[in-house]
């Protein structure tokens, strides 16, 4: 048999186990990137079966194929323009009716569809039963029952794909018909726009999308038509403005006919596990307590497992590498040793020591999402989050920023609305991460004695207030107060799929290492160079020169050039601020000695201002690099850095001046 | 009446959707189309609500739930 490439697109609504199936089919033969020009993840992979190579394309999860969101545009553009050999529509058997809506939208497109009836086990546990053969007969397309989390049904699916591609089955889909009352209008529109529909769009489909008021298709046809012919179409569309609901109703009528014989519903009054759990998890009071408990557990994991691992990596691996390099370079000039040990190994070390915490966060995140809890967390937090123009889903990524801002920025991916996602990314660096807290914990006792905990809490509170205010302002100014619609499915709880979580951890960590890692390394080396050149002594280095240049600004906040340099080096890693001060004040590694010197040189007012600035300052380079990676825009990354720079200095100056005035 | 005013356990039938195209189109895709039955699962009088529609649990913001016009089904009088 000749080897030829078969492209298979996976389509499905969210929460149908699409990623699980994708991972099952492709294993580690997958490539994760972005859709061209978009910040939406694109996963592709290959799979070999029966002498064929299948290229599997994971389309974004969408509820419909109307241009409501970027995901929906991407999914339908891919199907229409790239014409995959087969579209596998994955449906969740436990919410068959709603899931077939996407199938109703897929069938009119000129690509053969196979329905993968997934989560048959979940449906059964909810008291539902779906007869695949009856559904197959009704739809006229192959229906393959599956339990992807247990690997059941994958082989039959591949066989079905094979048979379809080889032309061994007659593909005679029972396409949803346009309702009687709209058939005439659709035909009229179709005849009017017929000569203007570009290849490869199906004409009938375009006419229907026009009737539905689809913005993208309307724009496409309008651009191609003469003004007067367009007016004619426009007049018809205007008369049928409410058709969008009627067309959707038509699809659900079709679905009702499809499932009438195939679906056995649960007995009335049967209370499912999901229902019982939801009584607690979505409760306005208990729900928040449960959420806090889960977040608390994640942080506990971070400290109990992540922090020791981090320490081990730092002393054994990074320290070991530094010792080796020192030994190997014993004859080399000092600057070279310093470049390798402090610059390169130091930089790599920073990247490496991030990993344990990131892995813990990605794992927790993946687990919470896969088990079906994420939507509940979003639900209980929505009322608070939407004050800032954010979706409830932004809560968890933002809150995890208490641990580290990097997974916070990466976690913003779960927010569907691009606007709310960007807002989440812009706000994430204002969460006080553990490294900032470490600086806080070191400095507050020196200056504030017994009031230290109070000052620390005040700093955390300040960060959160600035975050909330920034959210409100960004939402008003940048996004003109446009509200995010809150419509979200609460999926049934189910056993998580470890393979999916594992691959998520692998992919996210790899993305961090590949993209953020290189930037971190480069910036670490640059900062090293600035601190070592030209004399090898930090006191007379370029970095010190920059610190002196910044002194006029610093003076407004009561900061000497040394403090400004400490802020600058904190960009490599927040905890660097302390180490830098140690070097600059000649205290070396002795923290106690540094404490004494600091308490003599810095007034409590200036110390307070310094703390304020360091809490709100430009985040570490790992976070900045991740912002770039996730927004895919230097402009927004620049905006984020500039905003934090300005806000931190303004806050620092205000605090210093006001505190000085009050005494 | 509007969906947001249904009490927990009460079932209503969707009559009409108000609001702009984007909202209406999303609601319709989620299954809120005329004649669809919607059961109120959770409603504390403020904040978002949870309903059951077409066999799926859906969380809705109060604003969205005010855009869905329903007529309540009286117990036993269906």
């Amino acid at each position: 048999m000749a080897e030829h490439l078969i492209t298979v697109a996976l389509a499905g609504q969210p929460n149908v186990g699409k990623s699980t199936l994708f991972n099952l089919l492709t294993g580690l033969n997958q490539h994760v990137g972005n859709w061209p020009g978009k910040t939406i993840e694109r996963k592709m992979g290959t799979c070999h079966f029966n002498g064929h190579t299948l290229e599997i394309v994971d389309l974004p999860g969408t509820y419909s194929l109307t241009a409501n969101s970027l995901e929906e545009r991407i999914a339908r553009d891919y199907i229409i323009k790239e014409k995959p050999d087969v579209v596998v529509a994955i449906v969740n058997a436990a919410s068959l009716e709603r899931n077939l809506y996407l199938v109703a939208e897929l069938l009119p497109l000129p690509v053969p569809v196979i329905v993968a009836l997934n989560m048959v086990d979940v449906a059964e546990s909810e008291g539902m039963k779906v007869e695949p053969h009856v559904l197959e007969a009704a739809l006229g397309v192959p229906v393959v029952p599956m339990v992807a989390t247990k690997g059941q049904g994958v082989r039959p699916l591949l066989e079905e794909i094979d048979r379809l591609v080889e032309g061994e089955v007659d593909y005679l889909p029972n396409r949803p018909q346009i309702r009687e009352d709209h058939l005439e209008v659709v035909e009229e529109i179709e005849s009017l726009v017929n000569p203007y529909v570009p290849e490869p769009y199906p004409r009938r489909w375009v006419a229907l999308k026009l009737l539905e008021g689809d913005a993208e298709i309307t724009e496409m046809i309008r651009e191609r038509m003469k003004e007067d012919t367009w007016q004619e179409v426009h007049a018809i569309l205007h008369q049928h403005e409410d058709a969008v609901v009627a067309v959707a109703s038509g699809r659900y009528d079709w679905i009702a006919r499809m499932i009438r014989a195939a679906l056995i519903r649960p007995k009335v009054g049967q209370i499912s596990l999901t229902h019982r759990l939801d009584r607690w998890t979505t409760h306005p009071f208990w729900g928040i307590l449960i959420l806090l408990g889960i977040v608390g557990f994640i942080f506990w994991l971070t400290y109990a497992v992540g922090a020791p691992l981090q320490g081990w990596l730092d002393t054994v691996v990074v320290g070991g590498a530094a010792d080796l390099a020192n030994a190997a370079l014993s004859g080399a000039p000092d600057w070279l040793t310093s470049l390798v040990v402090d610059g390169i190994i130091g930089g790599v070390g920073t990247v490496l020591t991030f990993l344990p915490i990131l892995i813990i966060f990605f794992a927790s995140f993946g687990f919470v999402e896969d088990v079906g809890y994420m939507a509940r967390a979003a639900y209980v937090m929505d009322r608070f989050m939407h004050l800032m123009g954010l979706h409830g889903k932004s809560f968890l990524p933002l809150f995890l920023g208490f641990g580290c801002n990097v997974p916070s920025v990466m976690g913003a991916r779960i927010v569907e609305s691009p606007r709310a996602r960007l807002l989440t990314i812009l706000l994430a660096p204002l969460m006080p991460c553990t490294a900032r807290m470490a600086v806080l914990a070191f400095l507050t006792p020196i200056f504030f004695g017994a009031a230290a905990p109070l000052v620390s809490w005040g700093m955390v509170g300040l960060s959160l207030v600035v975050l909330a205010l920034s959210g409100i302002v960004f939402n008003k100014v940048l996004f003109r107060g446009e509200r995010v619609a809150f419509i979200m499915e609460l999926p049934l709880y189910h056993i998580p799929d470890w393979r999916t979580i594992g691959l998520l951890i692998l992919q996210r960590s790899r993305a961090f290492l590949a993209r953020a890692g290189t930037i971190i390394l480069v910036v670490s080396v640059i900062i090293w160079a600035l601190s070592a050149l030209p004399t090898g002594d930090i006191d007379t280095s370029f970095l010190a020169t920059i610190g002196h240049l910044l002194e006029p600004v610093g003076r407004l906040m009561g900061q000497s050039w040394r403090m400004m340099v400490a802020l600058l080096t904190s960009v490599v890693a927040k905890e660097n601020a302390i180490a830098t001060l140690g070097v600059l004040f000649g205290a070396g590694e002795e923290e106690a000695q540094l404490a004494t010197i600091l308490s003599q040189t810095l007034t409590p007012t200036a110390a307070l201002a310094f703390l304020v600035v360091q809490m709100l300052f430009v985040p570490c380079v790992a976070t900045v690099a991740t912002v770039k990676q996730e927004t895919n825009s230097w402009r927004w990354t620049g905006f984020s850095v500039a905003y934090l720079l300005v806000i931190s200095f303004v806050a620092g100056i205000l605090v210093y001046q006001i505190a000085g005035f009050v005494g | 009446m509007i969906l947001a005013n249904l009490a927990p356990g009460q079932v209503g039938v969707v009559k009409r959707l108000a609001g702009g195209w984007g909202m209406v189109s999303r609601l319709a895709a989620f299954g809120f189309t005329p004649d669809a039955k919607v059961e109120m699962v959770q409603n504390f009088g403020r904040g978002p609500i949870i309903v059951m529609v077409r066999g799926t649990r859906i969380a809705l913001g109060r604003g969205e739930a005010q855009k869905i016009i329903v007529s309540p089904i009286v117990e036993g009088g269906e």
Side-chain angles (χ1 to χ4, degrees), chain A residues 63 66 68 95 97-98 212-214 244-245 248-249 252 274-275 278 282 284 379 383 483 485-490, chain B residues 17 21-22 24-31 33-34 42 44 46-50 54-61 64:
Chain A
Y63 287 102
T66 306
N68 265 318
S95 60
E97 194 178 0
R98 234 258 342 280
E212 278 188 86
D214 184 297
V244 56
V245 177
S249 290
Y252 275 112
T274 295
H275 188 84
D278 269 357
T282 61
Y379 175 77
R383 59 189 85 199
R483 220 181 83 69
F486 186 68
I487 313 173
M488 187 179 59
E489 179 185 356
L490 298 180
Chain B
L17 302 178
W21 181 84
V24 166
S25 139
R26 282 200 70 185
L27 286 172
F30 268 92
T33 55
Q42 194 190 76
F44 286 97
R46 45 194 223 86
I49 58 157
I50 300 175
R54 299 191 189 272
T56 315
R57 264 151 221 283
I58 308 263
L60 280 175
E64 285 73 36

Side-chain angles (χ1 to χ4, degrees), chain A residues 20-36:
Chain A
T20 309
L21 178 59
F22 177 77
N23 292 334
L24 213 53
L25 289 172
T26 59
L28 288 170
N29 295 323
Q30 43 178 278
H31 173 74
V32 185
N34 279 350
W35 289 89

Side-chain angles (χ1 to χ4, degrees), chain A residues 183-313:
Chain A
L183 191 59
E184 213 173 306
V185 206
V186 172
E187 279 171 354
E188 198 183 346
I189 298 173
E190 192 184 338
S191 69
L192 279 171
V193 300
N194 198 6
Y196 305 97
V197 176
E199 281 299 319
Y201 288 90
R203 298 193 176 89
R204 174 58 62 95
W205 182 81
V206 167
L208 189 65
K209 284 291 156 196
L210 284 173
L211 187 64
E212 278 188 86
D214 184 297
E216 196 187 36
I217 298 296
T218 308
E219 199 47 43
M220 179 180 87
I221 294 300
R222 204 175 118 143
E223 274 174 8
R224 301 173 151 261
M225 278 184 123
K226 287 189 215 72
E227 188 58 30
D228 49 334
T229 8
W230 170 251
Q231 282 309 325
E232 215 175 316
V233 177
H234 184 72
I236 301 172
L237 296 178
H238 193 71
Q239 260 181 359
H240 296 274
E241 250 182 349
D242 55 349
V244 56
V245 177
V247 172
S249 290
R251 292 195 185 108
Y252 275 112
D253 291 347
W254 173 84
I255 292 168
R257 287 199 302 278
M258 295 297 112
I259 63 173
R260 189 175 299 147
L263 174 71
I264 300 154
R265 288 197 166 83
K267 292 187 205 78
V268 181
Q270 187 171 337
I271 294 176
S272 69
L273 171 72
T274 295
H275 188 84
R276 262 175 296 171
L277 284 174
D278 269 357
R279 276 190 198 151
W280 297 93
T281 54
T282 61
H283 190 274
F285 177 72
W286 299 114
I288 286 177
L289 271 192
I290 291 171
L291 177 58
L292 290 180
I294 290 173
V295 171
F297 178 73
I298 298 174
F299 283 135
W300 175 81
L301 264 185
T302 314
Y303 284 108
V305 183
L309 254 170
Q310 222 175 3
W312 178 82
L313 275 175

Side-chain angles (χ1 to χ4, degrees), chain B residues 6-28:
Chain B
L6 282 185
Q10 223 181 348
V11 180
V13 171
V14 177
K15 288 285 137 195
R16 195 163 63 75
L17 302 178
W21 181 84
M23 172 80 74
V24 166
S25 139
R26 282 200 70 185
L27 286 172

